[in-house]
Structures are given as structure tokens and as C-alpha cells.
Amino acid sequence: MSAGTWDYSMFWNEAISRIKEEISEQEYSMWFENLKYLDSRDSEIRVSVPSSFYRDQVKQRYLPLISQTLRDLSGAKLSVDFLVQPSNPSARPASSKTPTKREQAAVPVPPRAKEPRKTHKQLKPEYIFDNFVIGENNSFAANAAYAIAKNPGTSYNPCLIYGGVGLGKTHLIQSIGNLAYSEQQDLKVVYVTAETFTSEFIEAIKEKKNLQFKNKYRSVDLLLIDDIHFLQGKKETQEELFHTFNALYDSNKQIVFTCDRPVSELKSLTERLRNRFERGLNVDLQPPDYETRFAILKQKIENNSVYIPDEVIELISKNITTNVRDLEAALTRLIAYADLVNKNITLDTAKQLLKDVFANPKQVNISIEMIQRVVADYFNITLNELRGKKRTKAIVLPRQLAMYIAREMTEFSTTEVGLEFGGRDHTTVMHACQRVESRMNSDSTLEPIIQNLIRKIKEYGAKD
Ligand code: ADP
Ligand code: MG
């Protein structure tokens, strides 16, 4: 039977409006407003989605609900086929230049976004969507950010972008500011790090300028606060931000935050502020995959007007897997060298220059105690708790992570690691490592946390 004979659009439309009643408004606008009914075939409804990432998320989150609702309505088992089609190309960020095949499949490349005509003085002019390479790891966050910049205050409010260090949080949040500002110069855009927000607040109290401080932050149209993990333990600043949040939120002003971890992992945060952060849309940035790393390096090179052969880009993409900042650092090293000796970079020189960066040996200068300190500090527990016997949830996960990281970063045996954790048996350490690995498979937020911890440990190690 040919397509066209069937028409299940009524069932689809009715199912969608029932689902709308069942889930939150935010969820609905995030996941359902971009689904478009296409056509029907024998027992099948075809629906378009804007990207493969989107399709996977919708399937994973809502397919059972959709199928059940369709079944209730039609009495038959209707399947749903999601087709990836960019529904509204102009409402998507521009993926920069020469994306790889895989990217093209994952994220359809829309026409380039307009470059901001006028940049905002608090924002870096190069932090724009045009310079942000999109891959599976960040397409969701980038799309949300772009939508916000286009229509601040209307959807995804507030929005929290989280992810490990060097994955593009600052780049994205500033891109929102730059684009929004370039399109509406009367828009009051304020970008501030949580650290600056805190020190300005403390200063305002000292100088008795509380009112000015309040006025400044409560009169903006688009408030961008970077690195809110800095607010942990800062009660008064949290309190102030809470009120700022409410004032802006109640008047439909857009608020965007970034954080180096999911909100649930933040410690020493008042419940009501946590609740505000979790409201709206929380999106994560993952480390880029190989193709995206390659595309990012390509783009950086284009902007640098230095010739670096593809085989060198492959070499870097293969060996540096952590984050974009590390990719950039490797590239900068090569470019600096090329400038200095006035020579082109060959594969051999690149290997030579980046030997120590790639080697990533088990780090001899990292002790188990250093790992314990960084992990305990991150989770806001004491060293003794981390090493001790208590088995509460708040302590068990950090302990297992510390053991896992110790095995990843050092040459110590499971027996040696066990000894440093209150004389535990080596099987406990093995078990902990297995637990962490299996948890990583089911919980995608864990890996960025581990990467973040590893980086902090390296930094800590570099201080000595
Ligand atoms: P974070 O704030 O998450 O630590 P940044 O936004 O500072 O990370 O990003 C680190 C560097 O990597 C910046 O120079 C940024 O421009 C670059 N970068 C990150 N993600 C991308 C991307 N997807 N495309 C191009 N450059 C990126
Ligand atoms: Mg940052």
C-alpha cells in the first residue's frame, strides 16, 4: 500500500496534546515543540526531528510514553519513525567550516549565523557562535544557547550549561551575550563570573552601596553568570543571587549560568538556590569526539593562517582527548615553534614537540594523598572521612572515585592504594574501580567529573 493511504495525524496530534498535560512546560517546549508530523504509513507515523542527538534523546526519554498514548488513542500499535531534518535552519547555530561527514550526519549545517556587528565590552569578540565547532558532544547545549540568544527570556529560562574545564562553557555563554547584543543593542546584557559577582557584592556591603549593587543586577535583560560552582559555601552571596534571580525571573528576563558540574553535585548551597539553578533547562558539554577534535583544530588553524598538514592534525586529535583547551595548547606550541624557527611543521617535528604532552605516563609525581585531598575538597568532605570506614552515600562515591583515579593516574598497585585508604584490602579497590566503570556507562555526568578531578590533581601536582 502506498504512503498517503494512511493518515494518523489526528492520533499524533491528540497524543501530543495529552502528553503536554502530563509533563512540565519546560520539558514539553524542549522536546516536543520541535517534533513535526510528516506522514503516515502502515502502522507507522513519521515525525521529523532537528538532529540525531535530538532523536536519540526523545526516544530514550519519551518513546514509551508516546507509544503508550498512541496505543490508548488508536487501539492499535503504531510505531513512530523519527527522521532527522533541520526544521528551521535559521534558528540553529552555524557550525563552523568544513565539518566532517559524521558531523554533517549528526547536525545539519545551517546557513552561517550573522557575525555580531557590534561586540559587547565585557565579552570577548572571538567568543561567537561562528567560532564554535559543533559535534555530538555539544550540539544540544549550542542549540539551546543559540535559541536563547535569538529570543532571550522566552524559552529555556533559566538555562544552566555545565561541563568540565576547557569544554567551552565560557565560549558559549559569551556567545549568547554577543549575539543577543549584536541583534538588539538596547538589550542590557551583563556578563559576570560568579567570583566577580561575589567580590562586587562584598565590596558593595563594605562601601554601603547595597542598593546600587541590587539595581545593577536587577535591571538587566540578560544576565550571564559564569562558573557558579564558585558560590559553594558563600551563603550571603547565594542569598543575594537568589533575590536577583527571583526579580529577573519574575519579569521574564533571561538568566544563564555555567557550572563545572551538575547542580546535584554542588555542595554547601542553599536548597532554594539549588532549586532555582535546576529550574529551566540544564544542558551539559561533553568532551569532543575524534571528528569534532579534528574539526576544532582545523578551524583554529584557519584562523591562524599557519600551515599545518592534516597528518599533524590527526596526530593531535588522536592523542589529546581531554578537552578543547588542551587541544589549543598543543596547537599553540606548534605554532609558536613554527614562528620561532620560521619553518613549517612536519609530522616528525610535531611528534618531537608534543612528546611530553602525549606521553601521558602514569604520573610519577602524583601521590595518593594528593588525589585524596583534591577529591575530598571537591566533594566537600574531610580527608579522614574519605579514608575512613563510614559508608554513607555522600562518602562512598568520592571514595570509589578517588580509588579509581589513583589507579588511573599512578603506578600504585591495588594493594598500595588500599593501604592508603585506611588499610583496605586490594579486592575492595578492585571492586571500587569496577563500580566506577559501570556507573560511568550508565551515568554520563560522571566522566566529566572525573576528567575535571584529574585536571585539578594535575594542577595540584604542578604546584610543587
Ligand atoms: P570552559 O569555560 O568550559 O573552561 P572555555 O569556553 O574557556 O572552556 O573553552 C576553552 C577554549 O576552547 C576556548 O579558547 C574556546 O574558544 C575553545 N573551545 C571550546 N569549545 C570549542 C568548540 N566547540 N569550538 C571551538 N572552540 C572551542
Ligand atoms: Mg570558563
Side-chain angles (χ1 to χ4, degrees):
M1 208 164 291
S2 68
T5 315
W6 310 94
D7 183 0
Y8 299 123
S9 56
M10 266 164 43
F11 291 134
W12 174 258
N13 292 336
E14 181 57 25
I16 293 304
S17 50
R18 287 201 185 178
I19 288 170
K20 191 174 183 177
E21 301 301 311
E22 282 183 40
I23 61 181
S24 76
E25 216 173 287
Q26 285 289 346
E27 271 182 283
Y28 183 83
S29 72
M30 182 74 240
W31 299 111
F32 285 87
E33 274 176 3
N34 288 318
L35 301 183
K36 295 263 173 331
Y37 172 87
L38 292 173
D39 56 22
S40 309
R41 313 201 154 191
D42 189 3
S43 304
E44 182 182 90
I45 296 176
R46 298 203 312 166
V47 172
S48 79
V49 288
S51 68
S52 56
F53 175 83
Y54 214 95
R55 175 196 60 206
D56 297 343
Q57 292 289 316
V58 171
K59 274 186 161 175
Q60 191 192 334
R61 290 165 194 248
Y62 300 107
L63 192 54
L65 176 64
I66 296 172
S67 303
Q68 187 55 48
T69 313
L70 284 169
R71 191 179 198 136
D72 292 347
L73 284 165
S74 68
K77 195 166 182 303
L78 299 176
S79 61
V80 183
D81 192 15
F82 295 97
L83 270 78
V84 177
Q85 289 181 352
S87 53
N88 178 8
S90 65
R92 303 170 57 75
S95 171
S96 287
K97 302 153 205 164
T98 53
T100 60
K101 273 216 181 78
R102 189 158 150 208
E103 273 189 319
Q104 269 166 352
V107 185
V109 184
R112 291 172 69 82
K114 267 187 242 138
E115 294 278 343
R117 288 168 294 268
K118 219 173 154 212
T119 44
H120 188 278
K121 58 182 183 318
Q122 282 175 327
L123 304 169
K124 276 202 186 171
E126 66 269 28
Y127 284 165
I128 52 176
F129 287 108
D130 266 8
N131 292 340
F132 194 82
V133 176
I134 295 181
E136 295 260 10
N137 60 308
N138 60 25
S139 74
F140 187 41
N143 278 296
Y146 191 80
I148 290 168
K150 282 289 196 184
N151 286 301
T154 52
S155 51
Y156 314 147
N157 195 24
C159 174
L160 181 126
I161 302 168
Y162 69 90
V165 70
L167 293 180
K169 299 183 295 293
T170 300
H171 189 137
L172 263 191
I173 196 174
Q174 293 210 8
S175 299
I176 297 175
N178 271 324
L179 182 60
Y181 182 71
S182 77
E183 298 208 322
Q184 304 179 51
Q185 269 140 50
D186 52 351
L187 199 74
K188 233 180 133 195
V189 178
V190 170
Y191 165 86
V192 68
T193 61
E195 188 170 1
T196 305
F197 184 86
T198 304
S199 52
E200 275 182 27
F201 176 61
I202 293 170
E203 191 65 17
I205 294 176
K206 259 209 305 224
E207 306 280 321
K208 304 212 175 355
K209 289 184 176 155
N210 305 26
L211 199 64
Q212 266 145 297
F213 181 88
K214 280 191 176 66
N215 288 341
K216 170 174 174 188
Y217 284 102
R218 295 183 196 183
S219 65
V220 306
D221 298 310
L222 172 56
L223 179 61
L224 309 166
I225 304 191
D226 208 355
D227 294 332
I228 56 156
H229 46 271
F230 183 84
L231 298 174
Q232 291 175 106
K234 312 224 159 32
K235 275 248 155 53
E236 286 79 21
T237 313
Q238 287 178 22
E239 183 71 13
E240 180 61 28
L241 180 58
F242 174 78
H243 293 295
T244 306
F245 181 102
N246 289 344
L248 293 176
Y249 186 79
D250 289 344
S251 43
N252 293 322
K253 303 300 186 190
Q254 180 73 47
I255 313 160
V256 184
F257 303 107
T258 73
C259 187
D260 71 353
R261 62 196 88 177
V263 173
S264 57
E265 301 285 340
L266 288 171
K267 299 283 147 54
S268 305
L269 189 70
T270 61
E271 262 328 289
R272 55 191 199 162
L273 189 58
R274 183 190 306 278
N275 169 283
R276 294 304 184 276
F277 289 151
E278 278 175 339
R279 203 183 266 186
L281 181 68
N282 284 209
V283 287
D284 68 331
L285 289 168
Q286 293 287 330
D289 56 21
Y290 174 81
E291 282 84 357
T292 312
R293 297 199 291 275
F294 190 92
I296 289 173
L297 289 168
K298 268 286 206 200
Q299 183 226 296
K300 307 267 170 207
I301 290 166
E302 259 176 66
N303 290 351
N304 251 301
S305 71
V306 172
Y307 175 73
I308 294 189
D310 276 2
E311 53 183 8
V312 170
I313 302 177
E314 277 168 26
L315 177 82
I316 304 176
S317 311
K318 220 184 279 160
N319 286 285
I320 296 183
T321 55
T322 42
N323 63 55
V324 185
R325 190 169 296 161
D326 291 348
L327 285 175
E328 283 183 343
L331 195 60
T332 306
R333 194 187 280 208
L334 296 190
I335 292 171
Y337 176 83
D339 274 352
L340 195 68
V341 301
N342 206 6
K343 269 197 209 147
N344 278 334
I345 296 289
T346 64
L347 188 59
D348 281 341
T349 24
K351 278 185 183 158
Q352 191 57 35
L353 286 169
L354 299 174
K355 207 167 48 188
D356 54 323
V357 182
F358 292 164
N360 193 22
K362 303 271 180 179
Q363 322 245 328
V364 276
N365 55 340
I366 303 276
S367 70
I368 296 175
E369 181 180 336
M370 278 159 58
I371 296 173
Q372 291 173 331
R373 281 186 190 282
V374 172
V375 174
D377 181 60
Y378 182 90
F379 288 100
N380 210 21
I381 60 179
T382 66
L383 255 188
N384 283 339
E385 285 170 327
L386 188 79
R387 292 172 180 156
K389 300 276 178 233
K390 242 200 273 172
R391 299 197 42 83
T392 55
K393 214 172 129 209
I395 294 172
V396 170
L397 177 67
R399 187 182 290 143
Q400 288 176 340
L401 287 178
M403 290 179 178
Y404 172 83
I405 292 170
R407 289 287 291 153
E408 286 289 302
M409 290 186 82
T410 72
E411 292 283 15
F412 294 110
S413 66
T414 44
T415 307
E416 287 165 313
V417 174
L419 283 174
E420 300 276 339
F421 283 84
R424 284 181 162 80
D425 191 72
H426 78 280
T427 53
T428 311
V429 179
M430 278 164 54
H431 175 71
C433 294
Q434 285 158 5
R435 286 300 296 269
V436 171
E437 271 161 22
S438 74
R439 214 182 134 159
M440 261 197 285
N441 287 330
S442 59
D443 176 359
S444 63
T445 63
L446 201 56
E447 171 134 20
I449 293 172
I450 293 173
Q451 289 301 339
N452 198 358
L453 285 167
I454 289 178
R455 171 173 269 276
K456 283 183 201 288
I457 292 161
K458 283 186 187 162
E459 279 169 9
Y460 189 96
K463 272 190 218 142
D464 299 333

